[in-house]
Amino acid sequence: MAIKLNDKFLTSFIRKEELANMQSAASSAYELLLSKKGPGSDFLGWVDLPVNYDKAEFSAIKAAAEKIKKSCDILVVIGIGGSYLGARAAIEFVKSPLYNNLKKDTPDIYFAGNNISPTALSELISICEGKDICVNVISKSGTTTEPAVAFRVFKAMLTEKYGEEGARERIFVTTDKCRGTLKQFSDDAGYQTFVVPDDVGGRFSVLTAVGLLPIACAGIDIDDMMKGAEDARAAYSSPLIDENDAIKYAALRNVLYRKGKCVEILVGYEPYMLMLNEWWKQLYGESEGKDGKGILPDSVVFSTDLHSLGQYIQDGQRNLFETVISVKNPGAEFIIPNDPANVDGLNFISGKSLDFVNKTAMLATLMAHNDGGVPNILLELDDRSAHSFGYTVYFFELACAVSGYMLGVNPFDQPGVEAYKKNMFALLGKPGYEDMKKALEERISK
Ligand code: PA5
């Protein structure tokens, strides 16, 4: 088992009957998902993806990853939101947040097009100077401004450095299979393309070419990752809360939300969890935050953030709960050395492993936060393997969909993301937005 949900730090906040009372709502939401009759049912490709993925595409991903590994020092992955967070989360979780600094036989991987910062883009361009570069641009719609701008810059850079022909061998495009300007343009230019399936939305797409190509380029075993997701799919096949931890997690969140706990903080105890936290925030924030409803997803990495947000969590407004991810086997061992002079007074832990101290910090914090009125859901993960990552992705995706249906929203759309885009296009003078531009400029000048 890759994940175990432990609810012992919830007992003073949720009675057994309260959870049991959610059974009917939870199984209805689960059945709605499986029957494909709920809102957003055009976007359920991720449900069976671990067993139904396109095997030819999967082989092409592996072959392209080998080609990229052989031909560059740096892979620039261009994408935003669901088109980058999953890959970055996987690379940091399975390899390291310091992946680029590790000794390795795989290229450095940098992410671009996930902001509009001239500073970030200039810095990356200077890092790329004198290096061999490949680019994987990822955009389902093919029209998102941030990655499109970055792609313009890197396409020009590669063409100048390698010529049209050489650049063609180094640009890999992941986009919709037939719609969108990026697909049309890539076919015309002769770039190798990979597909974001029609029925998989951005934030559910990490186990498609969107995530798998960069992940494979980092030397991570993507077969093992898919197997993890497949094992999770098999493990979470019961509609019963007591037999299905993904549904139980959805139901527990729902009970807590009804009790006024409208902020959920995902807690990791390892720096390699930071981007998994970010991936999770997008998944839950975009899926549930709509129609005036939804739990606000937040995240921390302890013990680092115990020295920043720890005070608020212990003592601030009591509208939050935590979901703590504990990794049983963190992957490395470190024994605290003895100091005969004991100048720092730490000899009471000399000879102990750092993981033991980290896990003790976790237990201490769980109890302190419980005493401070913060319910804690504990998720125990076996390890940080590719298999566990795939398993965790499926666990959270399934729970998110069930939770969204329990909340009464469409978990698969994101209408709110368009509001800033329309304003930005109008203000930047995009053709077709003239009236809006005028109205916004009047607002600004008032
Ligand atoms: O989950 C989503 O659908 C979004 O976060 C998208 O992934 C994000 O907006 C990027 O879109 P695209 O891949 O079309 O460039």
Side-chain angles (χ1 to χ4, degrees):
M1 186 189 295
I3 299 182
K4 186 174 170 298
L5 191 155
N6 183 334
D7 56 9
K8 76 171 164 215
F9 297 98
L10 287 169
T11 44
S12 50
F13 303 95
I14 299 179
R15 285 179 294 109
K16 275 204 166 86
E17 308 81 76
E18 285 181 277
L19 183 61
N21 290 344
M22 297 308 295
Q23 181 58 68
S24 131
S27 30
S28 300
Y30 183 59
E31 299 300 346
L32 194 59
L33 180 73
L34 295 192
S35 67
K36 303 196 175 195
K37 289 187 179 143
S41 57
D42 288 347
F43 291 96
L44 297 181
W46 58 271
V47 175
D48 295 326
L49 195 64
V51 287
N52 256 354
Y53 62 91
D54 180 337
K55 309 291 184 296
E57 172 99 340
F58 197 77
S59 300
I61 290 170
K62 286 186 184 171
E66 286 312 309
K67 184 174 168 188
I68 291 170
K69 283 197 247 174
K70 282 193 195 107
S71 53
C72 69
D73 308 305
I74 293 180
L75 169 67
V76 178
V77 179
I78 299 175
I80 194 166
S83 289
Y84 104 101
L85 284 164
R88 188 156 173 197
I91 293 167
E92 296 207 1
F93 184 89
V94 180
K95 290 285 180 178
S96 168
L98 302 176
Y99 165 81
N100 285 344
N101 303 94
L102 297 178
K103 279 198 193 120
K104 59 190 184 300
D105 56 3
T106 50
D108 286 353
I109 298 179
Y110 288 94
F111 292 88
N114 54 64
N115 55 59
I116 323 178
S117 159
T119 314
L121 192 56
S122 313
E123 285 170 356
L124 182 51
I125 287 167
S126 78
I127 289 171
C128 289
E129 262 167 39
K131 305 273 169 96
D132 275 319
I133 314 294
C134 283
V135 166
N136 178 202
V137 57
I138 307 165
S139 178
K140 179 167 177 160
S141 63
T143 57
T144 310
T145 309
E146 291 90 337
V149 169
F151 184 45
R152 264 194 184 203
V153 172
F154 279 96
K155 183 162 55 70
M157 182 206 257
L158 263 64
T159 308
E160 193 186 319
K161 192 171 164 116
Y162 302 106
E164 293 274 343
E165 194 62 30
R168 186 175 304 143
E169 293 301 307
R170 291 172 176 275
I171 293 176
F172 300 81
V173 178
T174 308
T175 189
D176 188 89
K177 79 170 178 303
C178 49
R179 281 171 306 200
T181 44
L182 187 57
K183 173 65 183 161
Q184 184 61 50
F185 169 74
S186 303
D187 286 347
D188 293 347
Y191 302 145
Q192 182 169 3
T193 57
F194 295 93
V195 176
V196 191
D198 283 345
D199 56 359
V200 180
R203 57 190 175 275
F204 288 82
S205 69
V206 54
L207 299 177
T208 70
V210 169
L212 294 177
L213 179 55
I215 291 170
C217 290
I220 295 170
D221 184 343
I222 59 173
D223 286 296
D224 200 29
M225 193 169 280
M226 292 306 280
K227 179 73 172 71
E230 184 186 337
D231 289 350
R233 182 177 169 278
Y236 302 129
S237 57
S238 164
L240 300 178
I241 288 174
D242 283 343
E243 294 174 4
N244 185 332
D245 274 354
I247 291 187
K248 186 171 183 177
Y249 173 54
L252 287 170
R253 297 175 84 246
N254 205 274
V255 175
L256 291 166
Y257 182 60
R258 288 168 190 227
K259 287 172 179 255
K261 306 292 182 191
C262 56
V263 178
E264 177 178 13
I265 304 178
L266 192 68
V267 181
Y269 276 80
E270 295 282 350
Y272 61 69
M273 305 273 299
L274 193 102
M275 288 308 297
L276 180 70
N277 286 351
E278 295 304 313
W279 170 83
W280 172 88
K281 281 198 293 210
Q282 189 212 0
L283 181 64
Y284 280 77
E286 267 190 9
S287 299
E288 291 194 325
K290 53 196 71 161
D291 307 334
K293 297 191 262 191
I295 296 172
L296 173 69
D298 195 0
S299 69
V300 289
V301 173
F302 288 162
S303 68
T304 313
D305 294 328
L306 284 171
H307 299 258
S308 62
L309 283 183
Q311 169 61 37
Y312 190 101
I313 297 170
Q314 185 70 44
D315 247 357
Q317 268 199 65
R318 300 300 73 189
N319 61 349
L320 46 90
F321 67 99
E322 290 170 292
T323 296
V324 178
I325 300 185
S326 168
V327 182
K328 269 192 226 156
N329 176 358
E333 193 52 288
F334 197 92
I335 302 298
I336 298 171
N338 188 47
D339 175 9
N342 197 21
V343 282
D344 50 14
L346 280 182
N347 272 358
F348 71 100
I349 49 170
S350 63
K352 301 251 192 294
S353 79
L354 204 51
D355 186 50
F356 170 76
V357 178
N358 202 18
K359 297 271 185 344
T360 306
M362 182 186 77
L363 281 174
T365 308
L366 279 164
M367 288 186 279
H369 288 183
N370 254 203
D371 294 345
V374 182
N376 270 258
I377 300 170
L378 178 59
L379 298 176
E380 294 167 326
L381 246 72
D382 285 345
D383 53 35
R384 57 184 294 208
S385 61
H387 182 277
S388 286
F389 184 86
Y391 200 105
T392 304
V393 161
Y394 198 85
F395 169 86
F396 278 129
E397 287 181 348
L398 181 61
C400 180
V402 172
S403 183
Y405 279 160
M406 288 178 82
L407 192 64
V409 299
N410 174 356
F412 306 110
D413 66 1
Q414 54 284 331
V417 181
E418 294 309 309
Y420 98 90
K421 287 188 194 169
K422 285 185 194 146
N423 283 354
M424 182 177 76
F425 289 150
L427 290 172
L428 288 172
K430 187 170 178 172
Y433 288 78
E434 291 77 8
D435 290 349
M436 203 170 165
K437 179 177 169 69
K438 206 164 152 247
L440 288 172
E441 284 176 346
E442 271 171 29
R443 265 172 74 186
I444 293 168
S445 66
K446 262 183 203 155

